[in-house]
Amino acid sequence: MAVALAWLLQRSSNVLLIPGTSSVAHLRENIVDAGVLLSERDVTELDGIVG
């Protein structure tokens, strides 16, 4: 899930993610996940999966 969130955030600066949060622990996970940075190669590879 962290990689999916990071990929979406890095695709465009105007993307706003609102992942479902059912508990405080899940909210903390989402906050940490938002800090994941993917390399340019990672983003290109993930783009290839989608496109």
Side-chain angles (χ1 to χ4, degrees), residues 30-50:
N30 288 340
I31 291 169
V32 170
D33 292 348
V36 172
L37 294 176
L38 302 172
S39 70
E40 189 174 321
R41 180 179 177 198
D42 292 335
V43 173
T44 299
E45 187 171 338
L46 290 167
D47 286 344
I49 294 169
V50 175

Side-chain angles (χ1 to χ4, degrees), residues 16-41:
L16 175 63
L17 298 175
I18 307 174
T21 301
S22 58
S23 67
V24 173
H26 191 201
L27 174 61
R28 287 186 181 121
E29 289 174 8
N30 288 340
I31 291 169
V32 170
D33 292 348
V36 172
L37 294 176
L38 302 172
S39 70
E40 189 174 321
R41 180 179 177 198

